[in-house]
Amino acid sequence: MLANMDSSVGEVMQKLKDCGLEENTLVIFFSDNGGPTLELTSSNAPLRGGKGSMFEGGLRTPFMLQWKEKLPGGQEYDHAISSMDLFPTCAAAALAKIPENLDGVDLMPFLLGEKKEAPHEILYWRQGSRTALRKGDWKIVFNPGSKAWELFNLAEDLTESENLLSRSP
């Protein structure tokens, strides 16, 4: 499956180049949420959890953008973003009017360094009874199986192994 995807992405990128569109085309690639560690032998290490979990292994995904005419290559962006940011980013790139009250934001001013702060003060997720909220480096998670809330500081504990809830209620 990976080899087929790699080949197909390569074909699309080659077609853009052949048509002279490579420099001024916004290309976005991102994965869905986490590797399915139980069904297959994928690994999200060092992140805890996998597909369907509220831990970082189920929420963090590869997310890459290329727009050679606008974005310098080889950068890494360290702030958390959301797939909901794709619509306003693409709309702005197409010079379309961006509707108000969207959950997502146009990422270009952040990626170009025009805005230094994080694009989102708070991110939250919900899937059935599973929930998580992230504010800055702090993240609180509820999984119905454990029937308990867990609190983590991702800057100090990316593996979400030390529940800080009792120390930082």
Side-chain angles (χ1 to χ4, degrees):
M1 183 168 54
L2 289 174
N4 188 21
M5 182 184 67
D6 187 45
S7 175
S8 298
V9 169
E11 288 179 33
V12 170
M13 298 306 293
Q14 187 61 51
K15 189 61 147 177
L16 287 172
K17 190 173 187 174
D18 293 345
C19 293
L21 299 171
E22 181 183 31
E23 298 294 317
N24 195 23
T25 298
L26 174 60
V27 178
I28 301 169
F29 178 87
F30 69 100
S31 179
D32 67 352
N33 293 33
T37 55
L38 297 177
E39 293 88 359
L40 302 171
T41 56
S42 61
S43 170
N44 298 313
L47 305 175
R48 179 178 175 186
K51 186 175 294 305
S53 86
M54 295 291 117
F55 297 112
E56 292 298 288
L59 299 175
R60 288 189 182 213
T61 63
F63 194 169
M64 295 171 271
L65 290 94
Q66 174 183 290
W67 193 357
K68 290 185 174 187
E69 190 172 282
K70 305 275 184 186
L71 291 171
Q75 294 186 100
E76 286 188 24
Y77 186 73
D78 292 327
H79 293 292
I81 60 174
S82 167
S83 61
M84 291 185 287
D85 297 330
L86 291 178
F87 177 76
T89 301
C90 291
L95 304 177
K97 183 177 184 214
I98 300 174
E100 294 182 26
N101 301 322
L102 291 177
D103 289 327
V105 299
D106 174 13
L107 294 173
M108 291 307 289
F110 300 94
L111 299 175
L112 292 170
E114 297 165 3
K115 291 186 176 181
K116 302 294 184 202
E117 70 276 8
H120 302 280
E121 181 182 355
I122 296 174
L123 289 169
Y124 55 91
W125 301 266
R126 180 175 57 91
Q127 184 180 32
S129 299
R130 292 178 284 207
T131 58
L133 181 138
R134 179 175 173 171
K135 183 173 183 181
D137 292 327
W138 289 93
K139 180 176 167 196
I140 191 163
V141 177
F142 179 79
N143 286 300
S146 66
K147 297 187 167 98
W149 289 91
E150 295 178 83
L151 179 68
F152 306 100
N153 183 317
L154 297 176
E156 298 171 3
D157 180 19
L158 186 61
T159 62
E160 296 172 292
S161 56
E162 185 180 358
N163 185 355
L164 300 174
L165 192 63
S166 62
R167 289 197 329 225
S168 300

